């Protein structure tokens, strides 16, 4: 029996799973509260278990023959319909996502929700444009086909659920794989709205399933199921290690988009004002952004001037309610996360690192954290080497290009990097020397959905984006037909 819908600002949200085209409840639930006001309980959400995982995978397995037999054009029709429905429901989705994880309402309404629609459109179009590679060799005609791989499990983190759920589900669906989405337990609500829209778009039962619950419980059961043929994960390296073991046991291809500790390098020849402005924007979304340039690396000769500019821009930030258009820094997602972030700063102080600004909770009893800048004692400080995932940046200086590159590459991470320079030669030289999946020069967060996306070292395995994700969700087959033996 479906549970009563929860309401967020009059928008009805099912707290249940969505499996095989039906709402399915669980006997136990977990509580979801709003980071905007921790006294605001949003919902009691179904807490899936091994049985739930089994039901969801069975539904996806049952849907696979029908969905994979459709042509890319037929599947694209469903994805386009879903994208249109997303655009029509932008406000509701934005309000729910804002209440659930505190992303700024204005940016959700203006860009973020629409980007989810674009993810579905992009993959609908790309999948229909695929031209199998064909060539002749050794008396045979070779053709490379994409075969849908089978049910895909998608597991996402709490920091950008709407964007990441759509980014990861769209290529799987377009490639012909039914999906089971397990969103994060700290921000599970927009995934439920997505299931409603999929139903309205007419997706056949079992093609798009959403399972709610705790990672170590229903998440672990999903990734261990031998019938699952692809696992696409975004989250922390710690969880990726567990999921990778499950994938290895079942010999299932697995992509992992993981944490970051990106450098933001500022050379003396750059537009300093633009660089400082961008550096202050690394506090956006309260620093809960995997692609943030959290290590400011600034050339010695301009470091004092840069710091002045950076402080001027950082002073303009407004910590406040994410529904208020003047707010630029939202609260952190959860009291446990606030404690974790503050723990990094306290340990940095104990280590002898210098807190240059911020360094404390903004208001007792609420979840805002001050924009914080720390000058580490040396490059081994924990706050330099580990992802904080909050509004905490470090500040270090360098004397030349070689030292800048060495510092940039001195952590275990390799998701992204940012470089500010006025020289095109240096842009290419330094950009390519940074060991990271994405490097921006004189800009940040500009993304082309067809470009490969992923991390090096502990920031990830594999690449998603564009054709890379469609290939990942397919089994590539080389069909060789002996020439002159068929009509
Ligand atoms: P997390 O790893 O704790 O959780 C992510 C998801 O994995 C959640 O849905 C969780 O329930 C699930 N999970 C946890 N353990 C599991 C297990 N054993 N089996 C199956 N599922 C399990 O990460 P988080 O705290 O939700 O998110 C923050 C992390 O995500 C940060 O490290 C951040 O950098 C990273 N991130 C990376 C990207 C990227 O594109 N590279 C984007 C956003 C966030």
């Amino acid at each position: 029996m479906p549970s009563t819908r929860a309401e967020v600002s009059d928008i009805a949200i099912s707290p249940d799973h969505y499996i095989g085209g039906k709402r399915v409840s669980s006997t136990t639930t977990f509580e979801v509260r709003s980071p905007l006001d921790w006294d605001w309980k949003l919902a009691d959400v179904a807490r899936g278990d091994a049985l739930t995982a089994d039901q969801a995978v069975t539904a996806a397995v049952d849907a696979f023959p029908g969905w994979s037999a459709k042509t890319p054009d037929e599947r694209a029709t469903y994805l386009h319909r879903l994208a249109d429905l997303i655009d029509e429901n932008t406000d509701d989705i934005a309000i729910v996502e804002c209440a659930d994880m505190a992303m700024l309402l204005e940016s959700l309404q203006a860009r973020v929700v629409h980007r989810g629609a674009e993810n579905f459109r992009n993959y609908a179009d790309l999948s229909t444009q695929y031209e199998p590679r064909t060539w002749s060799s050794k008396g045979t005609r070779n053709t490379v086909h994409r075969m849908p791989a089978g049910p895909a499990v998608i597991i996402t983190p709490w920091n950008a659920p709407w964007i990441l759920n759509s980014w990861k589900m769209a290529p799987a669906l377009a490639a012909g794989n039914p999906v089971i989405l397990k969103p994060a337990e700290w921000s599970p609500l927009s995934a439920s709205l997505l299931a409603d829209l999929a139903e309205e778009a007419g997706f056949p039962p079992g093609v798009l399933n959403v399972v709610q619950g705790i990672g170590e419980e229903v998440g672990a059961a999903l990734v261990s199921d031998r019938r699952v043929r692809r696992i696409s994960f975004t989250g922390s390296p710690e969880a990726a290690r567990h999921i990778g073991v499950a994938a290895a046991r079942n010999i299932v291809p697995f992509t992992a988009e993981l944490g970051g500790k990106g450098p933001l390098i500022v050379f003396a020849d750059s537009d300093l004002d633009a660089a400082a402005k961008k550096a202050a924007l690394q506090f956006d979304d309260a620093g809960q952004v995997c692609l943030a340039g959290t290590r400011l690396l600034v050339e010695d000769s301009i470091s004092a001037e840069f710091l002045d500019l950076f402080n001027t821009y950082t002073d303009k930030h407004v910590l406040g309610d994410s529904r208020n258009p003047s707010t630029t820094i939202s609260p952190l997602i959860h009291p446990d996360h606030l404690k974790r972030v503050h723990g990094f700063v306290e340990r940095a102080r104990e280590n002898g690192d210098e807190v240059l600004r911020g360094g404390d909770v903004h208001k007792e009893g609420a979840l805002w954290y001050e924009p914080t800048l720390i000058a580490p004692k040396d490059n081994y400080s924990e706050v330099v080497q580990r992802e904080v995932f909050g509004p905490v940046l470090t500040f270090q200086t360098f004397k030349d290009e070689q030292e800048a590159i060495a510092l940039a590459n001195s952590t275990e991470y390799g998701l992204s990097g940012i470089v500010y320079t006025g020289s095109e030669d240096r842009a290419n030289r330094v950009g390519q020397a940074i060991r990271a999946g994405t490097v921006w020069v004189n800009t940040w967060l500009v993304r082309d959905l067809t470009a490969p996306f992923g991390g090096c070292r502990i920031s990830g395995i594999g690449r998603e984006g564009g054709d890379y994700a469609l290939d990942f969700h397919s089994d590539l087959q080389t069909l060789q037909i002996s020439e002159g033996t068929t009509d």
Side-chain angles (χ1 to χ4, degrees):
M1 249 239 321
S3 312
T4 312
R5 291 195 162 226
E7 278 197 5
V8 173
S9 307
D10 293 336
I11 301 158
I13 305 163
S14 169
D16 290 340
H17 316 291
Y18 181 70
I19 297 175
K22 293 196 178 72
R23 288 291 173 179
V24 175
S25 58
S26 277
T27 46
T28 54
T29 57
F30 61 97
E31 207 175 70
V32 178
R33 292 183 172 271
S34 175
L36 301 177
D37 170 2
W38 203 245
D39 289 333
W40 183 13
K41 183 167 132 182
L42 299 174
D44 286 310
V45 174
R47 183 168 180 158
D49 56 15
L51 184 65
T52 320
D54 181 70
Q55 283 176 326
V57 178
T58 301
V61 167
D62 291 348
F64 180 58
W67 187 244
S68 58
K70 290 191 189 303
T71 64
D73 281 315
E74 287 169 336
R75 289 194 291 263
T77 311
Y78 291 89
L79 270 71
H80 274 294
R81 229 180 277 149
L82 178 56
D84 293 345
L85 285 167
I86 289 170
D87 280 338
E88 285 165 28
N89 288 275
T90 297
D91 274 346
D92 283 5
I93 297 164
I95 289 166
V96 169
E97 186 88 326
C98 175
D100 200 17
M101 63 77 56
M103 193 176 273
L104 299 182
L105 183 61
E106 210 172 41
S107 85
L108 280 159
Q109 286 167 327
R111 296 178 296 104
V112 175
V113 174
H114 176 64
R115 172 61 196 285
E118 287 301 289
N119 284 335
F120 286 105
R121 286 196 185 99
N122 172 56
Y123 279 106
D125 294 343
L126 264 183
S127 63
T128 57
Q129 288 158 11
Y130 179 66
E131 289 191 10
R133 194 181 146 218
T134 60
W135 73 101
S136 289
S137 89
K138 299 186 177 167
T140 63
R141 187 85 193 136
N142 299 257
T143 312
V144 179
H145 292 284
R146 274 181 182 155
M147 301 189 297
V153 166
I154 311 278
I155 299 195
T156 51
W158 50 259
N159 71 311
W162 182 258
I163 288 263
L164 291 170
N165 293 343
S166 51
W167 162 253
K168 295 176 89 66
M169 290 170 92
L173 291 167
N177 301 337
V179 300
I180 303 136
L181 168 70
K182 209 300 279 171
E185 47 270 49
W186 281 357
S187 56
L189 299 184
S190 64
S192 188
L193 294 184
L194 188 62
D196 284 344
L197 296 179
E199 168 125 342
E200 204 178 328
F203 276 84
V207 169
L208 193 157
N209 306 281
V210 175
V211 163
Q212 303 283 13
I214 312 300
E216 293 79 357
E217 299 172 6
V218 73
L222 283 169
V223 298
S224 304
D225 193 305
R226 294 177 72 117
R227 297 168 296 169
V228 167
R229 294 315 316 153
R230 289 293 183 274
I231 299 170
S232 169
F233 172 71
T234 299
S236 63
E238 293 71 29
R241 290 189 175 99
H242 291 286
I243 296 169
V245 168
R249 265 199 208 107
N250 292 341
I251 317 195
V252 171
F254 153 66
T255 53
E257 296 178 349
L258 308 176
K261 192 76 200 173
L264 190 163
I265 308 177
V266 185
F267 286 101
D269 64 4
S270 64
D271 175 343
L272 267 200
D273 188 68
K277 198 171 183 181
K278 202 62 91 181
L281 286 181
Q282 307 306 306
F283 292 124
D284 279 11
D285 288 328
Q288 302 167 125
V289 179
C290 58
L291 296 167
T294 51
R295 291 181 294 136
L296 308 185
L297 306 177
V298 183
E299 192 160 349
D300 272 335
S301 58
I302 45 107
S303 62
E305 193 187 340
F306 172 86
L307 212 45
D308 278 350
L309 287 166
F310 170 81
N311 279 326
T312 304
Y313 283 116
T314 301
D315 288 343
K316 293 185 203 279
H317 273 302
V318 179
L319 282 70
D321 191 309
S322 309
R323 293 165 293 191
N324 186 336
S326 61
T327 297
T328 63
I329 297 190
S330 51
L332 298 180
I333 180 86
H334 195 283
D336 291 351
H337 191 55
L338 183 79
K339 259 189 235 142
R340 181 179 179 274
V341 168
H342 190 49
F344 274 100
V345 177
E346 284 182 321
R347 289 193 296 279
R349 281 198 179 96
E350 283 160 19
N351 184 51
D353 302 339
E354 188 185 356
V355 178
L356 300 177
R357 66 174 297 149
D360 213 340
V361 287
H362 178 60
K363 200 166 79 180
E364 265 329 299
L367 298 180
W368 285 269
Y369 200 81
E370 295 172 346
T372 297
L373 186 68
I374 297 179
K377 192 174 74 177
D378 55 39
N379 200 43
Y380 300 106
S381 291
E382 182 197 41
V383 74
V384 177
Q385 293 295 329
R386 282 196 55 207
E387 182 186 48
V388 178
F389 222 50
V392 178
L393 308 181
T394 57
F395 179 78
Q396 294 168 278
T397 60
F398 61 84
K399 57 182 180 316
D400 58 23
E401 204 174 289
Q402 288 317 311
E403 193 183 7
I405 293 167
L407 285 170
N409 289 333
S410 68
T411 74
E412 277 192 288
Y413 296 89
L415 186 62
S416 63
I418 309 169
V419 181
Y420 271 81
T421 174
S423 152
E424 187 157 349
D425 282 352
R426 176 175 269 157
N428 279 300
R429 204 168 48 235
V430 176
Q432 289 180 58
I434 296 177
R435 204 101 59 84
T438 303
V439 177
W440 286 281
V441 179
N442 299 337
T443 185
W444 179 51
L445 284 193
V446 182
R447 292 271 315 278
D448 180 325
L449 297 181
T450 62
F453 179 79
C456 308
R457 296 183 283 187
I458 67 160
S459 288
I461 296 176
R463 291 292 178 269
E464 294 190 347
D467 281 325
Y468 302 88
L470 291 170
D471 280 347
F472 170 73
H473 282 288
S474 309
D475 282 318
L476 293 184
Q477 180 200 59
T478 307
L479 178 66
Q480 294 188 266
I481 300 178
S482 176
E483 280 175 332
T485 59
T486 54
D487 297 340

